Amino acid sequence: MEQLIENKLITADKAFSEWKKVPFEDRQKLIAKAAGILKNNSEKFGKIITTEMNKPILQSIAEVEKSALMMNYYADAENILKPEKVDSEYTYSEIHYVPKGVILGVMPWNFPFWQVLRFAIPAILAGNTVVLKHASICFGSGNAIEDVFLEAGFPKGIFQNLEVGHKEVKEILEHDAIKGVSLTGSGKAGGEVASIAGLNIKKSLLELGGSDAFIVLDDADLDKAAKVGAQARLQNCGQTCVAAKRFIIDEKIEDTFLPKFIEEYKKFVPGDPMSKDTKITGMARPDLADDLEKQFQKALENGAEIIIPLERISDIEFKPGLIRVKEGNPILQEELFGPLGMVMIAKNDQKALQMANDIPFGLSNSVWTADKDRQLFFIENLESGTININRMTSSDPRFPFGGTKASGYGTELSLLALKEFVTAKTIVGN
């Protein structure tokens, strides 16, 4: 391990020994200051995001502002980590929540501020310190976030960005200073990191991929579903784990809904990422565009039909595509990370549910129906971490975020996230 990285891990460990003693409310005050810095400089930080990974500038600014909103949520949050008294016959009868130490974050490029801070803020508020291994194209974002912590007055070592590649993750995770890891990324990366953590008896949290269903039933508001559906698939150029990827449509409204959906879909035309009028740009890297093109061809070779062709217009840009896919197509078992959507037709609610659940993933689904009984049917039976009713998927600081099945385990956001990287220590006796 490079001496620079070794020194940063030692710094994080030393910082933890003092940070864990800082009162919860004092940690919150620093988080509020950091949130203010983000909010007041959202355009500056947004330009860093757009420059690094090509997101439309308005979406980048919105990402920074959402990060500040989340931080303010935790700055005002109830302290659920106070010692809990338990009724018993003992004099000492308490549960104490003890932070674990230095937590490694392995974070992706698609939301380079939001994903990092969504993990880091509750971990730090709980008394841990954080080191970040960011995506290689987002080192500027990682350094900018570290600067925000320092400017807000956090002690040195509470949050540090490590400019390392994926090959260094194993050695860092095995280091004695590291006590846990949170990864947002692919299933392959998640499995590898979780294996290393498990072998070293360290806590892991995984937020992995998805292939979320956007289910439109015959009593839905079709105009709204069409408009929101296009945004749900194509926001951030479709490079979102919780993007709507499979549009499961009741056969009774196929001829009515599809034209509306196609019309909205075609409004997304690639443009200049720095223009505030742009709704969609190119993908983050050429190799990612290559992968999406291969998946498109694989889907067609296995019987998918083109509704709107996926048309590549540069090394990273596509005119967004839409394909009709039938059950059994192997592409349904993969995540499409880019501007390509899949349409499936269901003959009834039971079939729509079966189609939605018949994948390895379980992140977040969306159901469009005005009927309360139908809503309840899907709420009770969809296999995913979140169910959205008549809205697109979006994470909210107030609510737990996480998946099931191959979409990972553990909770980000909400008060529950404060307990992800703590040990519940029992105190009992006379």
Side-chain angles (χ1 to χ4, degrees):
M1 181 181 294
E2 288 185 19
Q3 192 60 47
L4 175 63
I5 303 304
E6 173 80 21
N7 290 344
K8 287 192 172 188
L9 297 183
I10 292 170
T11 297
D13 200 28
K14 288 181 178 178
F16 168 68
S17 65
E18 296 300 322
W19 181 246
K20 67 182 180 181
K21 302 172 188 174
V22 173
F24 189 89
E25 294 74 17
D26 290 347
R27 297 176 200 150
Q28 287 183 303
K29 291 175 184 176
L30 291 172
I31 289 171
K33 288 182 182 178
I37 294 168
L38 275 185
K39 177 71 174 176
N40 293 334
N41 295 276
S42 60
E43 189 144 350
K44 180 183 81 171
F45 294 130
K47 287 179 180 177
I48 294 174
I49 294 172
T50 296
T51 300
E52 288 189 320
M53 56 74 59
N54 214 36
K55 183 178 296 186
I57 186 63
L58 277 185
Q59 293 180 29
S60 296
I61 293 170
E63 177 183 337
V64 176
E65 292 176 345
K66 183 177 181 178
S67 299
L69 177 72
M70 175 271 297
M71 292 165 73
N72 280 321
Y73 165 80
Y74 283 107
D76 295 330
E78 174 192 357
N79 182 5
I80 64 167
L81 302 180
K82 291 185 292 189
E84 293 180 14
K85 300 286 187 181
V86 179
D87 288 336
S88 75
E89 69 275 24
Y90 298 106
T91 304
Y92 291 100
S93 188
E94 298 177 351
I95 302 169
H96 293 196
Y97 294 99
V98 181
K100 288 187 176 295
V102 186
I103 311 300
L104 170 64
V106 182
M107 294 292 137
W109 46 264
N110 57 335
F111 289 89
F113 271 63
W114 170 251
Q115 304 276 28
V116 170
L117 291 165
R118 184 177 73 182
F119 140 70
I121 291 299
I124 287 170
L125 180 55
N128 301 288
T129 58
V130 165
V131 291
L132 169 67
K133 186 276 175 225
H134 215 325
S136 58
I137 63 172
C138 293
F139 287 162
S141 291
N143 289 329
I145 294 169
E146 181 175 343
D147 289 343
V148 168
F149 276 91
L150 293 173
E151 186 178 342
F154 281 85
K156 182 182 178 183
I158 302 303
F159 179 98
Q160 296 178 92
N161 183 46
L162 310 179
E163 293 193 8
V164 296
H166 67 274
K167 292 180 180 178
E168 284 80 21
V169 170
K170 181 177 185 293
E171 192 175 8
I172 292 169
L173 185 48
E174 290 174 340
H175 194 281
D176 288 344
I178 300 295
K179 298 301 188 289
V181 59
S182 178
L183 176 140
T184 297
S186 69
K188 181 177 182 292
E192 291 172 353
V193 166
S195 296
I196 299 165
L199 286 171
N200 290 274
I201 322 299
K202 296 181 181 183
K203 171 71 183 287
S204 62
L205 186 157
L206 303 180
E207 198 275 278
L208 308 178
S211 187
D212 295 342
F214 191 98
I215 303 167
V216 185
L217 304 182
D218 59 306
D219 64 340
D221 181 336
L222 300 188
D223 290 330
K224 185 177 180 182
K227 185 178 182 66
V228 174
Q231 181 186 0
R233 170 65 281 204
L234 297 174
Q235 182 174 287
N236 199 23
C237 199
Q239 300 168 121
T240 306
C241 57
V242 292
K245 298 184 174 92
R246 297 173 299 135
F247 294 86
I248 300 175
I249 302 166
D250 189 313
E251 66 177 12
K252 293 186 286 296
I253 56 166
E254 177 183 354
D255 294 339
T256 309
F257 177 74
L258 261 184
K260 296 176 184 289
F261 183 46
I262 292 168
E263 181 183 357
E264 293 294 338
Y265 210 85
K266 287 184 174 179
K267 292 179 181 179
F268 286 76
V269 179
D272 175 7
M274 285 295 180
S275 169
K276 293 186 176 181
D277 295 324
T278 296
K279 295 169 68 175
I280 189 171
T281 59
M283 296 180 67
R285 301 193 310 259
D287 63 302
L288 300 169
D290 293 342
D291 290 342
L292 185 68
E293 205 164 36
K294 290 173 185 174
Q295 288 180 299
F296 176 57
Q297 293 302 323
K298 178 179 179 178
L300 298 181
E301 290 166 5
N302 285 278
E305 300 173 6
I306 295 175
I307 299 173
I308 304 172
L310 180 71
E311 185 180 344
R312 193 165 184 172
I313 56 178
S314 77
D315 61 339
I316 58 171
E317 292 175 296
F318 290 100
K319 290 183 179 179
L322 198 62
I323 54 178
R324 186 189 303 264
V325 178
K326 293 181 179 179
E327 289 179 277
N329 193 315
I331 202 64
L332 290 167
Q333 305 304 306
E334 302 178 12
E335 180 178 29
L336 297 181
F337 216 65
L340 176 62
M342 296 178 282
V343 170
M344 304 180 76
I345 307 301
K347 63 182 180 181
N348 55 40
D349 292 7
Q350 188 68 48
K351 191 64 179 177
L353 174 69
Q354 179 189 328
M355 289 176 170
N357 285 341
D358 190 24
I359 58 167
F361 308 102
L363 200 49
S364 183
N365 291 303
S366 182
V367 182
W368 291 72
T369 173
D371 186 277
K372 297 297 182 184
D373 289 336
R374 298 174 93 181
Q375 292 172 5
L376 189 60
F377 169 73
F378 284 97
I379 288 169
E380 292 178 342
N381 293 290
L382 279 169
E383 298 168 353
S384 62
T386 301
I387 312 295
N388 300 273
I389 306 297
N390 297 318
R391 66 185 297 273
M392 66 179 279
T393 293
S394 62
S395 49
D396 183 310
R398 298 169 295 177
F399 303 116
F401 182 87
T404 186
K405 302 197 289 189
S407 291
Y409 52 74
T411 298
E412 294 186 315
L413 301 179
S414 80
L415 294 181
L416 291 177
L418 291 171
K419 292 185 176 179
E420 279 293 335
F421 291 103
V422 299
T423 297
K425 183 164 75 172
T426 297
I427 314 297
V428 63
N430 294 308

